[in-house]
Amino acid sequence: MSSFSKMIVVGMADLNVTKSPGILTTLGLGSCVGISIYDHVNKIAGLAHIMLPDSSQIKNNSNVAKFADSAIKKLIMDMCMVGARRDFLKAKIAGGAQMFAFDSTNENMRIGDRNVEASTRILRMYNIPIVANHTGSNYGRTIELYAEDGRLIVKTIGHGTYVI
């Protein structure tokens, strides 16, 4: 990280976009999913920290960054507004953990899995390939997305640090 790079924190149910040499980070992904989208030609990165899979199932859905479906749509629009090209976009996702031991047959308790499934489905719908992921299991993650080269650093407590 050069001294000129700026770290932008993306909060829970939030999203942001940056150009190189910017860095986007989000902390404490449990069942939430960090959706990173990157334009490798124009060096533009976008990151969303989603909490739930689908905005159509929720009455109070005014925060588009909270849901996989609406966050991905907004992230793509915001990236294109600053110069990204749709045909250059690639995605990496992280998070989607099962943080607590529940009966896994109860669909409502599989929030992490459902977030990953929705994120994957919606990115596919927009023809954005997922080139890497670090999802599932039962531990939290913090991620950093580098606009300079699209690398996603996944940090865990007790399970290592990964570059995907």
Side-chain angles (χ1 to χ4, degrees):
M1 183 166 109
S2 74
S3 57
F4 299 108
S5 299
K6 64 176 183 175
M7 183 82 71
I8 300 167
V9 176
V10 175
M12 186 182 290
D14 191 14
L15 58 81
N16 212 326
V17 171
T18 190
K19 293 181 176 183
S20 182
I23 303 163
L24 297 164
T25 186
T26 194
L27 314 172
L29 290 168
S31 61
C32 296
V33 171
I35 301 166
S36 67
I37 302 178
Y38 178 64
D39 174 336
H40 67 283
V41 174
N42 296 297
K43 299 194 180 304
I44 297 170
L47 180 64
H49 181 143
I50 64 109
M51 295 173 64
L52 295 168
D54 185 1
S55 63
S56 68
Q57 305 297 313
I58 307 293
K59 288 191 179 91
N60 179 13
N61 62 4
S62 58
N63 179 356
V64 296
K66 190 176 199 176
F67 307 96
D69 60 341
S70 50
I72 291 170
K73 179 179 180 181
K74 172 106 170 81
L75 198 55
I76 294 167
M77 288 180 358
D78 288 358
M79 289 179 70
C80 289
M81 283 178 25
V82 297
R85 291 236 338 246
R86 291 267 313 248
D87 47 340
F88 295 147
L89 299 181
K90 294 185 176 6
K92 297 177 182 178
I93 61 174
Q98 180 69 41
M99 296 301 290
F100 306 102
F102 289 114
D103 175 5
S104 62
T105 59
N106 183 342
E107 191 65 21
N108 291 330
M109 294 299 159
R110 294 181 47 253
I111 296 169
D113 288 342
R114 290 171 48 225
N115 282 339
V116 171
E117 290 161 8
S119 300
T120 302
R121 184 180 71 252
I122 294 155
L123 287 163
R124 190 176 303 129
M125 187 179 81
Y126 284 106
N127 294 316
I128 298 174
I130 298 174
V131 297
N133 74 73
H134 195 283
T135 59
S137 202
N138 62 351
Y139 53 85
R141 297 161 173 91
T142 290
I143 60 175
E144 295 174 359
L145 174 61
Y146 289 75
E148 183 179 17
D149 57 12
R151 88 195 117 129
L152 186 68
I153 297 178
V154 181
K155 299 176 181 178
T156 71
I157 296 176
H159 297 278
T161 297
Y162 305 88
V163 179
I164 64 170

